[in-house]
């Protein structure tokens, strides 16, 4: 608290000495500094004094801290940075909405909105109170946006399975690899007496050679089944995101896919998808795997053909951002078009006298960004980057400053209102964390540009700039990369220093020229150049990944870490000057204390038989700290088991010894606790009396629950995957699903 107060006090004293703070006259403070002019707040300054009451007696440390913080808030309002806080308020509102036990009523939400608007009107002449109400309104807008999206685009979620012959319309191509294609279908209608699934859309898998086009009406025998829940507590939630996308089931075709009706000839989205698929086919014809997979990701945003080893190397080298079309890619393409148009037009003296060359080039850059957005599949990071570019080029057209934190806030507001569920996706978190950190650092610490520098110094400055940018972005995204992917990149700066020039001067320019030449059939040479650049990056990524092995291990983070990180980012973005560092210190100190989770002692799958139990032997160098888990039930290398192993960074091996099992179940003894896996009802009487935890796929008896802790069929059906940790007396049990009454959870069917 002393450190926080000292930083706040120094910042206010330095800037606000005309608010009653007396500073000693030194060379650095001999000149009086006036606060930023703000007509609206200056007019209301009498009310500000009413809201900040200080005692004439010696104030306590807490009173001084509150007073100084209030003055910092006033300065922030004078600098008109309240808009920057609104995206964080919207995120807070969406988090409140998603954490509710039951679905909030739209009427109740509307009444709350009316109350907040009325309160804002009543307190409009009191800036601090009005600002607080505006933030509450931001939370209201976030919760309202999520609720409205749920009612407009949500769907009933399939509980069991549907089999039958169905016709459906193809809405989108989700992804594809060398063997199969995932498509989104709607208007699912049974062709015979089969049951009609009560869902809006479904995501199904079809063979690659039978893949339809967007807009086609198809017919096929299908199997539609329940969307799986989270694999680990706090992990990615497929049911939540599928619900907000209107997808109520996953599935696959079980026979031949036939075309009932082709898509209409005049269909813009069909045309965009056909162009994307045609570009992908040209890439596959000219480049081998894995080069073609990365080229497809960079041009059309399709990462389906990138294998796991390549992804792992790029992530460990700090180059995973190269795969996701974002600000780097769109800025280089749109900025390149802007520079090219401006250079060509500026070469004509006559034309330069009649038109604004810079504004025409800005329009060309905006057009290029929109075209690239369409070809890329419009991911969250691409939408955010496009919005930023629209604001930047719009500022060029208006003759205003382009890159500011307000533009970042505006882009975030648009994305959140359009797709509230996106705040839970890694792409949103990584994208906005990186750009917030970069803009925040560079808006406060600009270095002077010296046009008379030598070529060597300019090159050195560029390398330092790339390294600094990589360091800032890597530090800002480290929390989210560790949480979602359990990865950190200790040598990410080194990787980016070599990779970014390749992307900027070889790969993306070659890709742009290749796409332009594709209609004429001359793309081969430039795709080869692009492939050479990609191969160099893969070689670099492999080398740096080998260097990074066991250098730094990512911590196991829980949702609390993300909440603390959100607060830290909000402080850093909203405030200016040295006090914004408090947000960084806040995260660095509190996240390790409250955001790190221990490894589980037991993991139990819900839809498979997998059960993993912490092992007692020491594997030595085979595992960090010699820790491992034994798979006492289920199949190794299944999807759930692999996710557990990756999430908790611990090997899971199959138990060979089955001597502790019989027809009724299995019994496992550890140094501190005993576990029983019950298969039949007659085993409850004995096992429940001697075990600390009973795990069973059948319904446990009430008497068993009275004797010990139990995880049974009902628990697994409602709570999904279960995590358990022995605390010395009992097991701390965390189910992956806690919001069982929300509409994105499949409910037992009444049909």
């Amino acid at each position: 608290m002393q450190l926080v107060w000292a930083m706040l006090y120094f910042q206010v004293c330095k800037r606000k000495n005309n608010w009653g703070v007396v500073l000693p006259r030194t060379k650095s403070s001999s000149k009086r500094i006036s606060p930023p002019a703000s007509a609206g707040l200056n007019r209301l300054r009498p009310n500000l004094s009413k809201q900040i009451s200080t005692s004439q007696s010696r104030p306590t440390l807490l009173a001084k801290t509150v007073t100084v913080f209030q003055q910092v808030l006033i300065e922030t309002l004078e600098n008109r940075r309240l808009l920057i806080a609104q995206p964080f308020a919207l995120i807070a509102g969406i988090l409140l909405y998603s954490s509710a036990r039951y679905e909030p009523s739209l009427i109740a939400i509307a009444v709350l909105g009316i109350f907040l608007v009325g309160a804002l009107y009543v307190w409009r002449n009191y800036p601090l109170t009005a600002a607080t109400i505006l933030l509450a309104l931001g939370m209201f807008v976030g919760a309202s946006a999520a609720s409205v999206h749920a009612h407009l685009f949500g769907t009933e979620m399939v509980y069991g399975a549907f089999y039958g012959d169905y016709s459906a319309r193809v809405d989108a191509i989700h992804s594809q690899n060398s063997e199969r294609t995932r498509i989104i279908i709607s208007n699912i209608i049974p062709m015979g007496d089969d049951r009609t699934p009560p869902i809006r859309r479904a995501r199904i898998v079809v063979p690659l050679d039978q893949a339809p086009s967007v807009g086609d009406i198809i017919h096929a025998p299908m199997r539609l089944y329940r969307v799986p829940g989270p694999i680990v507590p706090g992990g990615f939630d497929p049911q939540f995101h599928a619900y907000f996308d209107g997808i109520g089931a996953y599935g696959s075709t079980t026979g031949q896919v036939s075309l009932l009706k082709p898509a209409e000839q005049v269909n813009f989205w069909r045309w965009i998808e056909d162009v994307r698929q045609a570009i992908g086919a040209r890439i596959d014809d000219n480049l081998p795997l894995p080069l073609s997979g990365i080229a497809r990701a960079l041009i059309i945003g399709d990462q389906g053909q990138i294998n796991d080893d390549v992804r792992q190397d790029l992530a460990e080298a700090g180059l995973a951002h190269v795969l996701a079309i974002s600000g780097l890619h769109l800025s280089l393409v749109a900025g390149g078009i802007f520079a090219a148009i401006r250079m060509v037009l500026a070469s004509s003296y006559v034309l330069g006298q009649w038109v604004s060359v810079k504004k025409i080039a800005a329009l060309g850059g905006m057009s290029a960004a929109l075209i690239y957005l369409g070809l890329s599949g419009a991911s969250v990071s691409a939408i955010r980057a496009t919005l930023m570019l629209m604001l930047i080029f719009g500022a060029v057209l208006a003759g205003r400053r382009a890159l500011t934190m307000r533009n970042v806030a505006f882009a975030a507001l648009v994305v959140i209102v359009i797709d509230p569920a996106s705040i839970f996706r890694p792409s949103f978190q990584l994208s906005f964390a990186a750009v917030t950190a970069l803009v925040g650092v560079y808006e406060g610490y600009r270095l002077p540009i010296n046009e008379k520098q030598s070529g060597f110094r300019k090159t050195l400055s560029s390398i330092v700039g790339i390294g600094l940018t990589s360091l800032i972005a890597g530090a800002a995204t480290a929390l989210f990369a560790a949480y979602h992917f359990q990865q950190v990149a200790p040598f990410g700066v080194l990787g980016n220093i070599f990779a970014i020039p390749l992307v900027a001067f070889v790969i993306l320019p070659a890709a742009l020229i290749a796409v332009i030449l594709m209609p004429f059939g001359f793309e081969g040479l430039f795709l080869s150049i692009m492939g050479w650049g990609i191969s160099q990056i893969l070689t670099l990524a492999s080398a740096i990944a080998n260097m990074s092995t066991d250098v730094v291990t990512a911590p196991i983070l829980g949702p609390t870490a993300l909440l603390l990180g959100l607060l830290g980012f909000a402080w850093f973005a909203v405030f200016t000057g040295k006090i914004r560092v408090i947000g960084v210190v806040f995260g660095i100190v509190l996240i390790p204390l409250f955001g790190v989770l221990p490894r589980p002692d037991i993991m139990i799958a819900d839809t498979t038989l997998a059960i993993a139990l912490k092992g007692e032997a020491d594997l030595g160098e085979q595992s960090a700290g010699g820790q491992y888990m034994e798979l006492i039930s289920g199949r190794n290398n299944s999807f759930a088991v692999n996710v557990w192993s990756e999430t908790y960074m611990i090997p899971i091996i199959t138990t060979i010894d089955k001597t502790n099992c019989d027809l009724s179940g299995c019994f496992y003894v550890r140094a501190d606790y005993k576990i029983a896996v019950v298969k039949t009802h007659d085993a409850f009487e004995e096992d429940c009396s001697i075990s600390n935890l009973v795990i069973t796929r059948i319904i446990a008896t009430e008497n068993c629950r009275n004797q010990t802790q139990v995880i049974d069929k009902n628990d697994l059906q409602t709570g999904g995957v279960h995590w358990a940790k022995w605390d010395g007396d009992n097991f701390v049990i965390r189910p992956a699903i806690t919001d069982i009454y929300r509409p994105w959870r499949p409910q037992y069917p009444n049909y």
Side-chain angles (χ1 to χ4, degrees):
M1 178 61 76
Q2 289 279 5
L3 175 62
V4 172
W5 181 86
M7 295 182 69
L8 287 169
Y9 185 81
F10 171 78
Q11 184 70 11
V12 173
C13 290
K14 186 181 75 169
R15 297 190 179 189
K16 298 294 176 185
N17 53 5
N18 58 333
W19 283 6
V21 181
V22 180
L23 295 178
R25 184 173 293 275
T26 63
K27 291 183 179 180
S28 60
S29 63
S30 59
K31 186 176 179 179
R32 197 179 187 89
I33 301 176
S34 298
S38 178
L41 283 176
N42 287 336
R43 176 175 59 84
L44 300 175
R45 194 169 294 280
N47 289 330
L48 290 176
S49 62
K50 293 179 183 178
Q51 291 191 264
I52 303 178
S53 58
T54 57
S55 175
Q56 298 299 321
S57 60
R58 180 182 295 274
T60 64
L61 176 62
L62 178 60
K64 288 192 293 184
T65 302
V66 171
T67 300
V68 173
F69 183 66
Q70 286 177 324
Q71 293 175 349
V72 171
L73 288 178
I74 292 172
E75 178 185 354
T76 302
L77 293 178
E78 288 180 337
N79 291 332
R80 297 178 299 174
R81 297 185 71 86
L82 186 61
L83 172 65
I84 299 170
Q86 288 302 329
F88 298 97
L90 264 69
I91 292 173
I94 296 171
L95 292 176
L96 285 175
Y97 164 82
S98 63
S99 63
R101 183 175 175 83
Y102 298 98
E103 187 69 12
S105 166
L106 284 177
I107 296 177
I109 292 177
V111 171
L112 177 61
I114 295 172
F115 171 78
L116 288 174
V117 171
L120 180 63
Y121 178 79
V122 172
W123 293 91
R124 65 189 184 280
N125 291 329
Y126 294 84
L128 288 181
T129 304
T132 303
I133 297 173
L134 281 172
L135 291 177
L137 273 171
M139 297 174 64
F140 162 77
V141 171
S144 300
S147 182
V148 170
H149 273 255
H151 284 82
L152 292 180
F153 306 111
T155 179
E156 185 172 336
M157 305 295 289
V158 165
Y159 182 87
F162 285 78
Y163 297 86
D165 289 341
Y166 297 99
S167 67
R169 181 185 183 277
V170 180
D171 286 349
I173 306 296
H174 182 271
S175 62
Q176 68 178 31
N177 56 28
S178 58
E179 297 180 354
R180 59 188 184 179
T181 300
R182 288 186 176 91
I183 61 175
I184 309 297
I185 58 175
S186 62
N187 298 328
I188 305 169
I189 302 173
M191 301 297 289
D193 297 330
D194 298 309
R195 291 183 300 160
T196 302
I199 57 177
R200 294 191 179 190
R201 303 200 297 172
R203 195 188 83 182
I204 66 172
V205 176
V206 300
L208 181 63
D209 57 355
Q210 300 178 27
S213 299
V214 174
D216 288 347
I217 306 297
I218 62 171
H219 161 250
M222 301 179 190
R223 172 179 174 261
L224 303 177
Y225 53 86
R226 173 179 176 169
V227 177
I231 304 299
V232 294
F236 181 79
D237 191 343
Q239 291 176 351
F240 178 85
H241 293 285
Y243 172 79
F244 279 94
D245 288 335
I247 297 174
Y250 286 173
S252 60
T253 57
T254 58
Q256 181 68 32
V257 178
S258 57
L259 180 64
L260 293 181
K261 181 182 177 182
E264 299 177 0
Q265 295 299 318
V266 182
N267 187 318
F268 176 75
W269 300 113
R270 163 72 181 268
W271 178 77
I272 289 289
E273 188 59 38
D274 287 345
V275 170
R276 295 181 69 235
Q277 296 303 319
I279 292 174
R282 294 287 187 93
I283 294 172
D284 294 339
D285 290 342
N286 285 273
L287 295 176
L289 287 171
L291 305 183
S292 62
I294 294 181
R296 290 173 67 98
L298 293 175
I299 296 177
I300 60 174
D302 180 11
Q303 301 185 20
Q305 296 188 16
I306 302 175
N307 62 53
D308 293 337
D309 292 336
V310 171
R311 291 180 188 272
Q312 184 75 14
D313 285 349
L314 289 170
E316 292 180 358
L319 300 176
H321 63 90
V322 172
L323 298 178
I325 296 175
S326 58
L328 171 66
H329 310 75
L330 279 150
S331 298
L332 289 172
V333 171
I337 294 295
F338 170 80
I341 294 175
R342 189 176 183 184
M343 185 181 300
V344 170
L345 296 181
S347 63
S348 171
Y349 175 80
V350 176
L351 189 61
Q353 299 299 311
W354 285 92
V355 298
S356 173
V357 172
K358 188 176 181 180
K359 292 183 178 181
I360 293 177
L363 291 173
M366 296 172 77
S367 302
L370 291 173
I371 292 172
Y372 195 6
L373 176 67
L375 293 178
S376 69
S379 65
V380 171
S381 59
I383 293 173
R384 189 270 309 158
T386 303
L387 286 171
M388 287 292 296
L389 286 170
M390 294 298 106
L391 292 171
I392 290 171
F393 286 128
V396 171
L397 294 175
R400 297 176 63 88
R401 182 179 166 190
L403 195 60
T404 66
M405 193 67 80
R406 291 188 186 89
N407 288 349
V408 178
F410 182 78
L413 287 171
V414 173
V415 172
I416 293 172
V417 171
I418 292 176
D419 185 8
S422 66
I423 70 165
F424 297 98
R425 298 190 182 106
S427 57
F428 177 93
Q429 297 168 10
L430 292 167
S431 177
F432 278 99
V435 74
T436 298
L438 289 170
V439 173
V441 170
Y442 285 121
E443 78 172 354
Y445 307 96
R446 288 190 180 87
L447 295 177
I449 299 175
N450 186 358
E451 298 292 345
K452 297 182 179 181
Q453 283 183 334
S454 64
F456 173 77
R457 291 186 64 85
K458 287 183 179 179
T459 302
L460 183 61
S461 297
S462 298
I463 294 174
V464 172
I466 293 173
L468 182 60
T469 299
S470 174
L471 182 63
I472 295 169
T477 58
L479 168 66
F480 306 101
Y483 178 84
H484 292 288
F485 310 115
Q486 297 76 49
Q487 293 173 336
V488 291
F491 299 108
V493 174
L494 180 63
N496 281 275
I497 287 176
F498 290 101
I500 296 301
L502 276 172
V503 174
F505 299 112
V506 178
I507 295 175
L508 286 182
L512 177 61
I513 297 174
V515 171
I516 293 174
L517 293 179
M518 278 183 184
F520 307 99
F522 294 106
E523 73 280 356
L525 173 63
F526 293 96
L527 284 177
S528 298
I529 295 173
M530 182 184 186
W532 176 85
I534 292 172
S535 66
Q536 303 308 306
I537 286 184
L538 293 181
T539 302
L540 174 69
S542 178
I544 294 179
N546 291 332
M547 293 169 54
S548 305
T549 303
D550 297 331
V551 173
V552 178
T553 302
I556 303 171
L557 300 177
T560 303
L562 293 188
L563 292 176
L564 294 172
L566 176 67
L567 293 175
F569 269 103
W571 184 288
F572 177 84
V574 173
F575 297 108
T576 58
K578 294 181 180 179
I579 62 170
R580 75 185 337 172
V581 179
I582 293 175
V584 180
V585 175
F586 176 88
I588 292 175
V589 173
L590 295 185
I591 289 174
L593 291 177
F594 303 104
V596 178
L597 294 178
R599 288 187 173 93
D601 289 331
I602 305 171
M603 291 296 298
I604 307 125
D606 56 342
T607 57
T608 67
L609 299 177
I611 301 175
L613 178 63
K614 182 180 178 180
E616 288 194 321
D618 191 343
L619 294 185
E621 296 182 357
Q622 300 181 41
S623 172
Q627 298 186 36
Y628 68 101
M629 298 188 79
E630 294 181 89
L631 191 67
I632 61 176
S633 176
R635 181 173 56 86
N636 208 345
N637 292 322
S638 64
F639 179 72
V641 173
N642 288 338
V643 171
W644 294 347
S645 179
E646 293 171 1
T647 300
Y648 300 113
M649 293 171 286
I650 187 170
I652 299 179
I653 63 175
T654 302
T655 299
I656 305 298
D657 185 10
K658 296 292 184 181
T659 56
N660 51 354
C661 297
D662 56 26
L663 295 178
S664 299
C666 299
F667 193 76
Y668 300 92
V669 178
R670 292 293 185 260
D672 300 319
Y673 52 84
K674 300 173 183 178
I675 305 295
V677 179
V678 174
K679 298 179 181 179
T680 60
H681 288 88
D682 56 358
F684 283 130
E685 182 176 356
E686 178 182 358
D687 289 348
C688 294
S689 62
I690 61 175
S691 303
N692 299 104
L693 176 65
V694 170
I695 303 169
T696 178
R697 305 280 174 181
I698 58 179
I699 299 177
T701 62
E702 189 65 28
N703 182 53
C704 184
R705 288 188 177 275
N706 293 332
Q707 297 182 67
T708 187
Q709 291 179 281
V710 176
I711 299 175
D712 69 354
K713 178 181 178 180
N714 289 336
D715 298 318
L716 295 172
Q717 285 182 341
T718 57
V721 173
H722 276 59
W723 176 103
K725 179 73 175 179
W726 180 254
D727 68 355
D729 297 315
N730 292 291
F731 278 97
V732 177
I733 299 175
R734 295 175 56 210
I737 296 174
T738 57
D739 50 354
I740 60 175
Y741 300 110
R742 301 308 295 272
W744 48 82
R745 301 302 175 198
Q747 303 297 323
Y748 192 81
N750 56 6
Y751 42 79

